[in-house]
Amino acid sequence: MTLPTYFSASSGTRVSASRTSPDSPRISRLIVLRLKIGTLGVGELVDLLGQYGALATTRGTVYPILSRLCSSGLVETTWHESPSGPPHRYYRLTSEGESARSRRADAWRDLVQDMSDLMSAKGEKK
C-alpha cells in the first residue's frame, strides 16, 4: 500500500503519511472524534482512517496514541474473545472522552467554517 503525501506548511516540504508522528495531535483528535460511534479495534480504526487519503496511518502510529488517550482517561479498553486466535482489545470513549469529543467536534466545525470563509471570494469575516 502506498501512503499519500501531504505538504507540511511548518517545514515547507512534502511529508509521507507513513512518517506521521505518533505524537500527531491531528490523528489523536480524529481517533477521539471517530470513537463516538462505539467500540473499535485498532485494525478497524486504521482501516477507517485509511479511507481518507491524507489520514492514512499505521497501527504503529495508532497504538501509542490510544495508550496516551487511555492514560489521560479519555478512552477505556475491553478485551473480546476472538473465534480464531487470541482475544482482541477494543477501545471506546469514557464520559470524559465524550465531553472532549464534543468540544473537539465543535472546534473542527468552527475551523472548517473559518477556512471556508477565508477561501471564499469575501476573504473577510463579518
Side-chain angles (χ1 to χ4, degrees):
M1 170 177 89
T2 302
L3 294 174
T5 60
Y6 62 93
F7 183 76
S8 170
S10 60
S11 68
T13 60
R14 290 192 95 32
V15 179
S16 169
S18 64
R19 291 177 42 207
T20 301
S21 167
D23 297 321
S24 171
R26 174 181 62 135
I27 300 295
S28 178
R29 288 184 194 109
L30 290 168
I31 289 171
V32 168
L33 289 170
R34 189 56 193 167
L35 283 175
K36 177 187 189 241
I37 65 166
T39 304
L40 291 175
V42 171
E44 296 166 308
L45 197 50
V46 168
D47 290 347
L48 181 71
L49 292 171
Q51 295 174 16
Y52 297 95
L55 303 179
T57 190
T58 65
R59 290 172 186 248
T61 297
V62 172
Y63 276 117
I65 292 169
L66 285 169
S67 178
R68 264 193 313 281
L69 291 170
C70 286
S71 295
S72 66
L74 299 177
V75 171
E76 62 187 7
T77 64
T78 56
W79 289 93
H80 295 261
E81 291 296 323
S82 171
S84 59
H88 296 281
R89 182 180 273 187
Y90 287 85
Y91 300 83
R92 70 173 176 232
L93 292 176
T94 62
S95 57
E96 185 180 340
E98 179 56 36
S99 295
R101 186 216 57 81
S102 181
R103 287 189 307 273
R104 288 176 179 172
D106 290 344
W108 276 96
R109 281 189 283 277
D110 291 346
L111 176 63
V112 168
Q113 183 60 54
D114 288 347
M115 291 300 294
S116 179
D117 291 347
L118 181 63
M119 295 180 75
S120 72
K122 299 174 226 159
E124 294 182 18
K125 194 164 184 148
K126 294 182 180 184

